[in-house]
Amino acid sequence: MTRVLLTGFEPFGGEETNPSWEAVRAAAARAPEGLALSTARLPCAFGTALDALREAVERTAPDLVLCVGQAGGRPDVTVERIAVNIDDARIPDNAGARPVDEPVVPGGPAAYFSTLPVKACVAAVREAGLPASVSQTAGTFVCNHVFYGLMHLAATERPGLRGGFVHVPYAPAQVTDRALPSLPVPAVAEALCVIAVTAAGRTTDIRAEGGATH
Amino acid sequence: MTRVLLTGFEPFGGEETNPSWEAVRAAAARAPEGLALSTARLPCAFGTALDALREAVERTAPDLVLCVGQAGGRPDVTVERIAVNIDDARIPDNAGARPVDEPVVPGGPAAYFSTLPVKACVAAVREAGLPASVSQTAGTFVCNHVFYGLMHLAATERPGLRGGFVHVPYAPAQVTDRALPSLPVPAVAEALCVIAVTAAGRTTDIRAEGGATH
Amino acid sequence: MTRVLLTGFEPFGGEETNPSWEAVRAAAARAPEGLALSTARLPCAFGTALDALREAVERTAPDLVLCVGQAGGRPDVTVERIAVNIDDARIPDNAGARPVDEPVVPGGPAAYFSTLPVKACVAAVREAGLPASVSQTAGTFVCNHVFYGLMHLAATERPGLRGGFVHVPYAPAQVTDRALPSLPVPAVAEALCVIAVTAAGRTTDIRAEGGATH
Amino acid sequence: MTRVLLTGFEPFGGEETNPSWEAVRAAAARAPEGLALSTARLPCAFGTALDALREAVERTAPDLVLCVGQAGGRPDVTVERIAVNIDDARIPDNAGARPVDEPVVPGGPAAYFSTLPVKACVAAVREAGLPASVSQTAGTFVCNHVFYGLMHLAATERPGLRGGFVHVPYAPAQVTDRALPSLPVPAVAEALCVIAVTAAGRTTDIRAEGGATH
């Protein structure tokens, strides 16, 4: 039994819902075989999001952490490759903070790679008939902040803890009149289950192209 | 009881499925109240597609015809406003034909407007929580060919027959590795039912903006 | 000597410039050989734009009219194929009008095709090293309004007058912080000269694909 | 006099030209005041590109290095924020190599931040009327490879050497029939001069938002 912590976010940026949290809840309800799933809903705010993540990690003592966030405008489920040590907020977070070019962790390394088998996760979601790809950037807002904080926690305090970040598209109801890509929450939840099972089942990645020319 | 004919297309352009036909079948299986639904699967070929449409219209004597086609790359369900009297094929059709700047109907008018309540249909789909918009062009391939042929048939031989065209996004399984927008077939089928019920229930449109600056 | 009237628009939608008028002025300054160029700057307002166009046509008695408008977001110079008999304003025009689903000309045909050699114009711009394509819709705002009005004028009052519409991208200075495509005004002016010379030099089009699947 | 090395790339991916090299040459011909500019044209190949960069750095002993590459599809000049220690080639390089998930420098840190004043450079290009933005990823192909190698060289062997990477759009002639964004080489060259002068003139950055939510 692999203990997996799945986190999603509260709504932000004027949205009334956040598909990351809706999909995390729906994934947990499916109870994928072989996994003991816990969930946590993180505030969309620099600092307090990481406090909540740390609290959830301490409470659930997971083997694997999948943090999930909304990537409005992306058409597919994206497994992030790398977290960077920078906060640069294009919009205010839910507490009104808007840091510019501040480190997530002062003195921390410039970046951490995900310790998920990123390529295997992408391949497994595609195999399930759903669109997925590797992403080379998780941005510089609260999603990347949480992703970096998670990897720093694992690197400095939780040896053996593996983890990573997954971005998910808007839900259809968020974009009824905006002509932006979307994916229903049940499809996203299925993708998250596939990713959790894949990541729980292997520590090495497959060899598969997932790069970008720029 | 309004008799509604729903048509979808066979796959084309190297695809193995066509979400327009899958969604039409799924919509018919839902049997929306107050409608007597018939369906037809059209070949994706200039000329024979219109023969099949005419045959289906004669067979089912509909009050309303909704032709549906795949618009790969569009993120939402689009209700087409206007059909134009031109065939200009960027790719060969399924019979290998590739007409360039030929009229759908020699001597026919340059265009026909849809006789669906286009704005009301878009509003109803959005009300159901799904993304939709008005489209100002159905292209110049077999979809527009069928749309124009339908409207010409209604205008010249079938007084009282109302109809129009709806474009639908790729299904997720078509774009697992392509980073293009998609919408699952059940969601599209729901949108088609909403459009059919809306169009059956009113002959005048609502006043709602649905334009484009270009 | 072919008499050519080139029209551009005043700024709209909160912009401080309109590259259509800037490029028309720059094209006229180049004085392409064999053409007698006149220009007119049209207001971006339903109705008065057509009044100004009619006045310019009466004043200059052109053989050929090229109306040019801004298509913010398009990356290339697009030669429009067809004008449709509808006004549907997503934003107010410069006089504050916002018509919804009103005809440009009550009782007019649903659409008019451009009488430019559209494909030859696109090919000539590409040959000059600049990006161009056929567009299947000029939208439903003032650009399409002027395009339809021009073609209706030619069809009903000015036999022999040929004309069409060309959409051009933003100028770079309009999008310095918006990550949208742009093309400098001199490049657009060159494209307009190429189109004017091409359209003046031939009345029949070349056979070249320029369609869209949707 | 600040010694600045500007590098561009040879063509790749089936293109016949590379606007990065064309623009670097054009920038050098402008000889911006206060700068002593040298240039180098790098092969688009993993490994040998870095050999050529090192050779150019040794030859010219620059204070500042600006590496420039083509980002086909981006509409604006993008100043890269961070280089990551990974090679993952979506297409073969010009020597036929296609590494997957290999480090640029085995044992090197996960990433290096640019030591350009990234925000000041973006602001200065915009001030000059040209489109620019911060980019959060330089991809995982030869551009990122060179960027990472440059920053590693500076960090390990060349204390005081500052540097970074700039991605530039296609030239118009590359996309005449592709409906992708482009920017003429002279405009790109002007942007590169502005960036070189700005980076030469200040070592600290301005406080300006340049982030991404994802």
Side-chain angles (χ1 to χ4, degrees), chain B residues 90-147:
Chain B
R90 195 172 59 74
I91 56 174
D93 73 9
N94 283 359
R98 205 171 161 180
V100 169
D101 293 348
E102 295 174 14
V104 181
V105 176
Y112 285 107
F113 284 105
S114 172
T115 47
L116 302 179
V118 166
K119 305 291 180 73
C121 290
V122 166
V125 174
R126 291 177 177 178
E127 191 66 30
L130 294 169
S133 61
V134 177
S135 167
Q136 323 298 341
T137 173
T140 59
F141 196 55
V142 183
C143 286
N144 172 75
H145 181 83
V146 160
F147 182 15

Short mmCIF file of all heavy atoms in Angstrom, two decimals, chain B residues 90-147:
data_model
loop_
_atom_site.label_atom_id
_atom_site.label_comp_id
_atom_site.label_asym_id
_atom_site.label_seq_id
_atom_site.Cartn_x
_atom_site.Cartn_y
_atom_site.Cartn_z
N ARG B 90 -8.54 22.07 -48.77
CA ARG B 90 -7.15 22.12 -48.34
C ARG B 90 -6.53 20.72 -48.34
O ARG B 90 -5.34 20.55 -48.54
CB ARG B 90 -7.09 22.71 -46.91
CG ARG B 90 -5.74 23.15 -46.43
CD ARG B 90 -5.86 23.89 -45.11
NE ARG B 90 -6.46 23.10 -44.06
CZ ARG B 90 -5.86 22.09 -43.42
NH1 ARG B 90 -4.63 21.74 -43.72
NH2 ARG B 90 -6.49 21.42 -42.46
N ILE B 91 -7.37 19.72 -48.09
CA ILE B 91 -6.93 18.32 -48.12
C ILE B 91 -7.92 17.55 -49.00
O ILE B 91 -9.05 18.02 -49.21
CB ILE B 91 -6.90 17.70 -46.70
CG1 ILE B 91 -8.28 17.85 -46.02
CG2 ILE B 91 -5.84 18.37 -45.84
CD1 ILE B 91 -8.39 17.14 -44.67
N PRO B 92 -7.53 16.40 -49.53
CA PRO B 92 -8.47 15.62 -50.33
C PRO B 92 -9.62 15.10 -49.47
O PRO B 92 -9.44 14.82 -48.28
CB PRO B 92 -7.63 14.44 -50.85
CG PRO B 92 -6.20 14.81 -50.61
CD PRO B 92 -6.20 15.75 -49.45
N ASP B 93 -10.80 14.99 -50.05
CA ASP B 93 -11.90 14.35 -49.31
C ASP B 93 -11.70 12.83 -49.34
O ASP B 93 -10.68 12.35 -49.87
CB ASP B 93 -13.26 14.79 -49.88
CG ASP B 93 -13.59 14.19 -51.24
OD1 ASP B 93 -12.86 13.28 -51.72
OD2 ASP B 93 -14.57 14.62 -51.84
N ASN B 94 -12.62 12.08 -48.77
CA ASN B 94 -12.41 10.63 -48.65
C ASN B 94 -12.48 9.89 -49.98
O ASN B 94 -12.12 8.71 -50.06
CB ASN B 94 -13.40 10.02 -47.66
CG ASN B 94 -12.99 10.29 -46.22
OD1 ASN B 94 -11.96 10.93 -45.97
ND2 ASN B 94 -13.79 9.83 -45.27
N ALA B 95 -12.94 10.58 -51.02
CA ALA B 95 -12.94 9.97 -52.36
C ALA B 95 -11.76 10.49 -53.18
O ALA B 95 -11.66 10.19 -54.37
CB ALA B 95 -14.26 10.29 -53.07
N GLY B 96 -10.91 11.26 -52.56
CA GLY B 96 -9.73 11.75 -53.26
C GLY B 96 -9.94 13.05 -54.03
O GLY B 96 -9.03 13.56 -54.67
N ALA B 97 -11.14 13.61 -53.94
CA ALA B 97 -11.43 14.85 -54.68
C ALA B 97 -10.89 16.05 -53.93
O ALA B 97 -10.89 16.09 -52.70
CB ALA B 97 -12.93 15.00 -54.89
N ARG B 98 -10.45 17.03 -54.67
CA ARG B 98 -9.90 18.24 -54.07
C ARG B 98 -10.29 19.45 -54.90
O ARG B 98 -9.44 20.06 -55.55
CB ARG B 98 -8.38 18.08 -54.00
CG ARG B 98 -7.77 18.91 -52.91
CD ARG B 98 -6.31 18.59 -52.71
NE ARG B 98 -5.69 19.69 -52.00
CZ ARG B 98 -4.41 19.73 -51.65
NH1 ARG B 98 -3.63 18.71 -51.95
NH2 ARG B 98 -3.92 20.76 -51.01
N PRO B 99 -11.57 19.78 -54.90
CA PRO B 99 -12.02 20.92 -55.71
C PRO B 99 -11.42 22.23 -55.21
O PRO B 99 -11.17 22.38 -54.02
CB PRO B 99 -13.53 20.92 -55.50
CG PRO B 99 -13.75 20.21 -54.22
CD PRO B 99 -12.66 19.19 -54.12
N VAL B 100 -11.18 23.14 -56.13
CA VAL B 100 -10.67 24.47 -55.78
C VAL B 100 -11.60 25.52 -56.37
O VAL B 100 -11.78 25.58 -57.59
CB VAL B 100 -9.23 24.67 -56.31
CG1 VAL B 100 -8.80 26.14 -56.18
CG2 VAL B 100 -8.25 23.78 -55.55
N ASP B 101 -12.18 26.33 -55.52
CA ASP B 101 -13.00 27.46 -55.95
C ASP B 101 -14.11 27.07 -56.92
O ASP B 101 -14.37 27.76 -57.92
CB ASP B 101 -12.12 28.56 -56.55
CG ASP B 101 -11.22 29.18 -55.48
OD1 ASP B 101 -11.45 28.93 -54.29
OD2 ASP B 101 -10.31 29.95 -55.85
N GLU B 102 -14.77 25.96 -56.61
CA GLU B 102 -15.94 25.57 -57.39
C GLU B 102 -17.18 25.83 -56.56
O GLU B 102 -17.15 25.69 -55.34
CB GLU B 102 -15.87 24.08 -57.76
CG GLU B 102 -14.70 23.77 -58.68
CD GLU B 102 -14.53 22.28 -58.94
OE1 GLU B 102 -15.45 21.50 -58.63
OE2 GLU B 102 -13.46 21.90 -59.44
N PRO B 103 -18.28 26.20 -57.19
CA PRO B 103 -19.50 26.42 -56.41
C PRO B 103 -20.08 25.10 -55.91
O PRO B 103 -19.93 24.06 -56.56
CB PRO B 103 -20.45 27.08 -57.42
CG PRO B 103 -19.95 26.65 -58.75
CD PRO B 103 -18.47 26.47 -58.63
N VAL B 104 -20.71 25.13 -54.76
CA VAL B 104 -21.45 23.96 -54.30
C VAL B 104 -22.62 23.72 -55.26
O VAL B 104 -22.85 22.61 -55.72
CB VAL B 104 -21.99 24.18 -52.87
CG1 VAL B 104 -22.75 22.95 -52.38
CG2 VAL B 104 -20.86 24.54 -51.91
N VAL B 105 -23.33 24.79 -55.55
CA VAL B 105 -24.47 24.75 -56.49
C VAL B 105 -24.24 25.83 -57.55
O VAL B 105 -24.37 27.01 -57.25
CB VAL B 105 -25.80 25.03 -55.75
CG1 VAL B 105 -26.95 25.09 -56.75
CG2 VAL B 105 -26.06 23.98 -54.67
N PRO B 106 -23.89 25.43 -58.76
CA PRO B 106 -23.69 26.45 -59.80
C PRO B 106 -24.94 27.31 -59.95
O PRO B 106 -26.07 26.80 -60.03
CB PRO B 106 -23.45 25.60 -61.06
CG PRO B 106 -22.94 24.29 -60.56
CD PRO B 106 -23.65 24.07 -59.26
N GLY B 107 -24.73 28.61 -59.94
CA GLY B 107 -25.87 29.53 -60.06
C GLY B 107 -26.59 29.81 -58.76
O GLY B 107 -27.50 30.65 -58.71
N GLY B 108 -26.21 29.13 -57.70
CA GLY B 108 -26.85 29.38 -56.40
C GLY B 108 -26.39 30.70 -55.82
O GLY B 108 -25.38 31.27 -56.24
N PRO B 109 -27.11 31.20 -54.84
CA PRO B 109 -26.69 32.44 -54.19
C PRO B 109 -25.34 32.27 -53.49
O PRO B 109 -24.93 31.16 -53.19
CB PRO B 109 -27.80 32.73 -53.18
CG PRO B 109 -28.53 31.46 -53.01
CD PRO B 109 -28.36 30.66 -54.28
N ALA B 110 -24.67 33.39 -53.22
CA ALA B 110 -23.33 33.34 -52.63
C ALA B 110 -23.35 32.67 -51.26
O ALA B 110 -22.39 32.02 -50.87
CB ALA B 110 -22.75 34.75 -52.51
N ALA B 111 -24.46 32.82 -50.53
CA ALA B 111 -24.51 32.26 -49.17
C ALA B 111 -25.95 32.10 -48.71
O ALA B 111 -26.87 32.72 -49.26
CB ALA B 111 -23.75 33.16 -48.21
N TYR B 112 -26.12 31.26 -47.70
CA TYR B 112 -27.40 31.15 -46.98
C TYR B 112 -27.12 31.31 -45.50
O TYR B 112 -26.15 30.72 -44.98
CB TYR B 112 -28.03 29.78 -47.19
CG TYR B 112 -28.66 29.53 -48.52
CD1 TYR B 112 -28.05 28.68 -49.44
CD2 TYR B 112 -29.89 30.09 -48.87
CE1 TYR B 112 -28.63 28.42 -50.67
CE2 TYR B 112 -30.48 29.83 -50.11
CZ TYR B 112 -29.85 29.00 -51.00
OH TYR B 112 -30.42 28.73 -52.22
N PHE B 113 -27.97 32.03 -44.80
CA PHE B 113 -27.89 32.06 -43.35
C PHE B 113 -28.56 30.81 -42.78
O PHE B 113 -29.54 30.30 -43.34
CB PHE B 113 -28.59 33.30 -42.79
CG PHE B 113 -27.77 34.56 -42.96
CD1 PHE B 113 -28.11 35.49 -43.95
CD2 PHE B 113 -26.66 34.80 -42.17
CE1 PHE B 113 -27.35 36.65 -44.12
CE2 PHE B 113 -25.90 35.95 -42.34
CZ PHE B 113 -26.24 36.87 -43.32
N SER B 114 -28.04 30.34 -41.68
CA SER B 114 -28.70 29.28 -40.91
C SER B 114 -30.10 29.72 -40.55
O SER B 114 -30.35 30.91 -40.33
CB SER B 114 -27.90 29.02 -39.63
OG SER B 114 -28.60 28.14 -38.78
N THR B 115 -31.04 28.78 -40.52
CA THR B 115 -32.38 29.12 -40.05
C THR B 115 -32.62 28.56 -38.64
O THR B 115 -33.75 28.49 -38.17
CB THR B 115 -33.47 28.63 -41.03
OG1 THR B 115 -33.20 27.27 -41.39
CG2 THR B 115 -33.46 29.49 -42.28
N LEU B 116 -31.54 28.19 -37.96
CA LEU B 116 -31.64 27.91 -36.52
C LEU B 116 -31.67 29.24 -35.76
O LEU B 116 -31.15 30.24 -36.24
CB LEU B 116 -30.41 27.14 -36.04
CG LEU B 116 -30.09 25.82 -36.71
CD1 LEU B 116 -28.82 25.23 -36.10
CD2 LEU B 116 -31.26 24.85 -36.55
N PRO B 117 -32.24 29.23 -34.56
CA PRO B 117 -32.07 30.39 -33.68
C PRO B 117 -30.67 30.31 -33.06
O PRO B 117 -30.49 29.81 -31.94
CB PRO B 117 -33.18 30.22 -32.64
CG PRO B 117 -33.42 28.74 -32.58
CD PRO B 117 -33.09 28.19 -33.95
N VAL B 118 -29.68 30.77 -33.81
CA VAL B 118 -28.27 30.53 -33.51
C VAL B 118 -27.89 31.04 -32.11
O VAL B 118 -27.25 30.33 -31.33
CB VAL B 118 -27.39 31.21 -34.60
CG1 VAL B 118 -25.94 31.28 -34.16
CG2 VAL B 118 -27.53 30.46 -35.92
N LYS B 119 -28.29 32.24 -31.80
CA LYS B 119 -27.93 32.84 -30.51
C LYS B 119 -28.61 32.11 -29.35
O LYS B 119 -28.01 31.93 -28.29
CB LYS B 119 -28.30 34.32 -30.48
CG LYS B 119 -27.73 35.14 -31.63
CD LYS B 119 -26.25 35.29 -31.51
CE LYS B 119 -25.64 36.11 -32.64
NZ LYS B 119 -25.90 37.54 -32.57
N ALA B 120 -29.85 31.74 -29.54
CA ALA B 120 -30.57 31.01 -28.49
C ALA B 120 -29.92 29.64 -28.25
O ALA B 120 -29.83 29.17 -27.11
CB ALA B 120 -32.04 30.85 -28.87
N CYS B 121 -29.47 29.02 -29.32
CA CYS B 121 -28.81 27.72 -29.18
C CYS B 121 -27.50 27.86 -28.39
O CYS B 121 -27.21 27.07 -27.49
CB CYS B 121 -28.53 27.11 -30.55
SG CYS B 121 -30.02 26.58 -31.43
N VAL B 122 -26.71 28.87 -28.73
CA VAL B 122 -25.46 29.10 -28.01
C VAL B 122 -25.74 29.37 -26.54
O VAL B 122 -25.08 28.81 -25.64
CB VAL B 122 -24.68 30.27 -28.65
CG1 VAL B 122 -23.55 30.74 -27.74
CG2 VAL B 122 -24.13 29.84 -30.02
N ALA B 123 -26.72 30.23 -26.28
CA ALA B 123 -27.05 30.58 -24.89
C ALA B 123 -27.48 29.35 -24.10
O ALA B 123 -27.13 29.18 -22.93
CB ALA B 123 -28.13 31.65 -24.86
N ALA B 124 -28.24 28.48 -24.73
CA ALA B 124 -28.75 27.29 -24.04
C ALA B 124 -27.63 26.31 -23.70
O ALA B 124 -27.63 25.70 -22.62
CB ALA B 124 -29.82 26.61 -24.89
N VAL B 125 -26.68 26.15 -24.60
CA VAL B 125 -25.56 25.25 -24.32
C VAL B 125 -24.73 25.80 -23.16
O VAL B 125 -24.34 25.07 -22.25
CB VAL B 125 -24.68 25.05 -25.57
CG1 VAL B 125 -23.43 24.23 -25.23
CG2 VAL B 125 -25.47 24.38 -26.68
N ARG B 126 -24.50 27.10 -23.18
CA ARG B 126 -23.75 27.72 -22.08
C ARG B 126 -24.51 27.55 -20.76
O ARG B 126 -23.90 27.27 -19.72
CB ARG B 126 -23.54 29.21 -22.37
CG ARG B 126 -22.60 29.46 -23.52
CD ARG B 126 -22.49 30.96 -23.82
NE ARG B 126 -21.52 31.21 -24.88
CZ ARG B 126 -21.25 32.41 -25.38
NH1 ARG B 126 -21.89 33.48 -24.93
NH2 ARG B 126 -20.34 32.55 -26.34
N GLU B 127 -25.81 27.73 -20.83
CA GLU B 127 -26.64 27.57 -19.63
C GLU B 127 -26.49 26.15 -19.06
O GLU B 127 -26.57 25.94 -17.84
CB GLU B 127 -28.11 27.85 -20.00
CG GLU B 127 -29.06 27.97 -18.86
CD GLU B 127 -28.77 29.18 -17.99
OE1 GLU B 127 -28.25 30.20 -18.51
OE2 GLU B 127 -29.04 29.08 -16.78
N ALA B 128 -26.25 25.20 -19.94
CA ALA B 128 -26.05 23.81 -19.50
C ALA B 128 -24.63 23.57 -19.01
O ALA B 128 -24.27 22.44 -18.67
CB ALA B 128 -26.38 22.86 -20.65
N GLY B 129 -23.80 24.63 -18.96
CA GLY B 129 -22.46 24.48 -18.41
C GLY B 129 -21.41 24.04 -19.40
O GLY B 129 -20.31 23.63 -19.02
N LEU B 130 -21.74 24.12 -20.67
CA LEU B 130 -20.78 23.68 -21.69
C LEU B 130 -20.39 24.86 -22.58
O LEU B 130 -21.17 25.79 -22.79
CB LEU B 130 -21.40 22.56 -22.53
CG LEU B 130 -21.65 21.27 -21.74
CD1 LEU B 130 -22.51 20.30 -22.54
CD2 LEU B 130 -20.30 20.62 -21.38
N PRO B 131 -19.17 24.84 -23.11
CA PRO B 131 -18.68 25.98 -23.90
C PRO B 131 -19.25 25.99 -25.31
O PRO B 131 -19.24 24.97 -26.00
CB PRO B 131 -17.16 25.78 -23.91
CG PRO B 131 -16.95 24.32 -23.68
CD PRO B 131 -18.11 23.82 -22.89
N ALA B 132 -19.71 27.15 -25.73
CA ALA B 132 -20.30 27.28 -27.07
C ALA B 132 -20.14 28.71 -27.56
O ALA B 132 -20.01 29.64 -26.76
CB ALA B 132 -21.78 26.91 -27.04
N SER B 133 -20.14 28.87 -28.87
CA SER B 133 -20.11 30.21 -29.45
C SER B 133 -20.66 30.16 -30.87
O SER B 133 -20.86 29.09 -31.45
CB SER B 133 -18.68 30.77 -29.46
OG SER B 133 -17.82 29.96 -30.23
N VAL B 134 -20.93 31.36 -31.40
CA VAL B 134 -21.31 31.49 -32.81
C VAL B 134 -20.04 31.44 -33.65
O VAL B 134 -19.03 32.02 -33.27
CB VAL B 134 -22.02 32.84 -33.04
CG1 VAL B 134 -22.35 33.01 -34.52
CG2 VAL B 134 -23.26 32.95 -32.18
N SER B 135 -20.09 30.74 -34.76
CA SER B 135 -18.97 30.76 -35.71
C SER B 135 -19.41 31.50 -36.97
O SER B 135 -20.54 31.34 -37.44
CB SER B 135 -18.53 29.35 -36.07
OG SER B 135 -17.68 29.36 -37.20
N GLN B 136 -18.48 32.31 -37.49
CA GLN B 136 -18.80 33.10 -38.70
C GLN B 136 -18.39 32.38 -39.97
O GLN B 136 -18.63 32.88 -41.07
CB GLN B 136 -18.10 34.47 -38.64
CG GLN B 136 -18.01 35.12 -37.27
CD GLN B 136 -19.34 35.45 -36.62
OE1 GLN B 136 -20.37 35.53 -37.29
NE2 GLN B 136 -19.33 35.63 -35.31
N THR B 137 -17.73 31.24 -39.84
CA THR B 137 -17.37 30.48 -41.05
C THR B 137 -17.33 29.00 -40.76
O THR B 137 -16.74 28.57 -39.76
CB THR B 137 -16.01 30.91 -41.63
OG1 THR B 137 -15.66 30.02 -42.71
CG2 THR B 137 -14.89 30.89 -40.60
N ALA B 138 -17.95 28.24 -41.65
CA ALA B 138 -17.93 26.78 -41.56
C ALA B 138 -16.83 26.20 -42.44
O ALA B 138 -16.79 25.00 -42.69
CB ALA B 138 -19.28 26.21 -41.96
N GLY B 139 -15.92 27.07 -42.90
CA GLY B 139 -14.84 26.62 -43.78
C GLY B 139 -15.32 26.48 -45.21
O GLY B 139 -16.37 27.03 -45.60
N THR B 140 -14.53 25.74 -45.99
CA THR B 140 -14.85 25.57 -47.42
C THR B 140 -14.68 24.11 -47.84
O THR B 140 -14.46 23.81 -49.01
CB THR B 140 -13.91 26.45 -48.28
OG1 THR B 140 -12.55 26.06 -48.02
CG2 THR B 140 -14.08 27.92 -47.99
N PHE B 141 -14.77 23.22 -46.85
CA PHE B 141 -14.58 21.79 -47.11
C PHE B 141 -15.96 21.11 -47.11
O PHE B 141 -16.97 21.75 -47.37
CB PHE B 141 -13.62 21.24 -46.04
CG PHE B 141 -13.03 19.89 -46.35
CD1 PHE B 141 -12.33 19.67 -47.53
CD2 PHE B 141 -13.13 18.84 -45.43
CE1 PHE B 141 -11.75 18.42 -47.80
CE2 PHE B 141 -12.56 17.60 -45.69
CZ PHE B 141 -11.88 17.39 -46.86
N VAL B 142 -16.00 19.83 -46.79
CA VAL B 142 -17.26 19.08 -46.92
C VAL B 142 -18.31 19.55 -45.91
O VAL B 142 -19.51 19.48 -46.18
CB VAL B 142 -16.99 17.56 -46.80
CG1 VAL B 142 -18.28 16.78 -47.02
CG2 VAL B 142 -15.95 17.12 -47.83
N CYS B 143 -17.90 20.04 -44.76
CA CYS B 143 -18.87 20.54 -43.78
C CYS B 143 -19.69 21.69 -44.36
O CYS B 143 -20.91 21.69 -44.32
CB CYS B 143 -18.16 21.00 -42.51
SG CYS B 143 -17.55 19.64 -41.48
N ASN B 144 -18.98 22.70 -44.88
CA ASN B 144 -19.69 23.83 -45.48
C ASN B 144 -20.49 23.39 -46.70
O ASN B 144 -21.60 23.89 -46.95
CB ASN B 144 -18.68 24.91 -45.89
CG ASN B 144 -19.33 26.02 -46.69
OD1 ASN B 144 -20.04 26.86 -46.14
ND2 ASN B 144 -19.13 26.02 -48.01
N HIS B 145 -19.95 22.45 -47.45
CA HIS B 145 -20.62 21.89 -48.63
C HIS B 145 -22.00 21.31 -48.25
O HIS B 145 -23.02 21.60 -48.89
CB HIS B 145 -19.71 20.81 -49.20
CG HIS B 145 -20.19 20.11 -50.42
ND1 HIS B 145 -20.04 20.61 -51.69
CD2 HIS B 145 -20.83 18.91 -50.57
CE1 HIS B 145 -20.55 19.77 -52.57
NE2 HIS B 145 -21.03 18.73 -51.92
N VAL B 146 -22.01 20.53 -47.18
CA VAL B 146 -23.26 19.93 -46.71
C VAL B 146 -24.20 21.01 -46.15
O VAL B 146 -25.41 20.99 -46.41
CB VAL B 146 -22.96 18.85 -45.64
CG1 VAL B 146 -24.18 18.55 -44.77
CG2 VAL B 146 -22.47 17.58 -46.32
N PHE B 147 -23.64 21.94 -45.42
CA PHE B 147 -24.43 23.03 -44.83
C PHE B 147 -25.11 23.84 -45.95
O PHE B 147 -26.32 24.08 -45.92
CB PHE B 147 -23.50 23.90 -43.99
CG PHE B 147 -24.11 25.04 -43.24
CD1 PHE B 147 -25.48 25.17 -43.03
CD2 PHE B 147 -23.27 26.03 -42.71
CE1 PHE B 147 -26.00 26.26 -42.32
CE2 PHE B 147 -23.77 27.11 -41.99
CZ PHE B 147 -25.15 27.23 -41.82
#
